[in-house]
Amino acid sequence: YGADDVAIAPTVSPGPTNGGSAYGIAVALAITLPGLDDAQMKLLVDTAHQFCPYSNATRGNIAVDITIV
């Protein structure tokens, strides 16, 4: 497997805000990382989510659901 086999399928939809009284944006990410075991995939995705500029800019402002497929 190579970098061309890696895939991230995002879905953006309306979602509740932190207070739950209004609507904001919710994001779901389905991530495919062939060739890695479950622990490696989780470590890579969790680390990337902590360092990603978009994640840092939106953390606490939008709901994010990450699924490794």
Side-chain angles (χ1 to χ4, degrees), residues 3-63:
D4 292 339
D5 299 313
V6 173
I8 301 172
T11 303
V12 178
S13 61
T17 60
N18 286 340
S21 61
Y23 281 92
I25 295 174
V27 175
L29 301 173
I31 301 172
T32 303
L33 297 167
L36 300 176
D37 65 37
D38 290 346
Q40 290 172 320
M41 286 187 282
K42 181 165 177 26
L43 178 62
L44 182 60
V45 169
D46 289 347
T47 301
H49 187 50
Q50 291 304 310
F51 286 95
C52 172
Y54 289 103
S55 293
N56 288 330
T58 60
R59 187 168 286 115
N61 296 315
I62 65 170

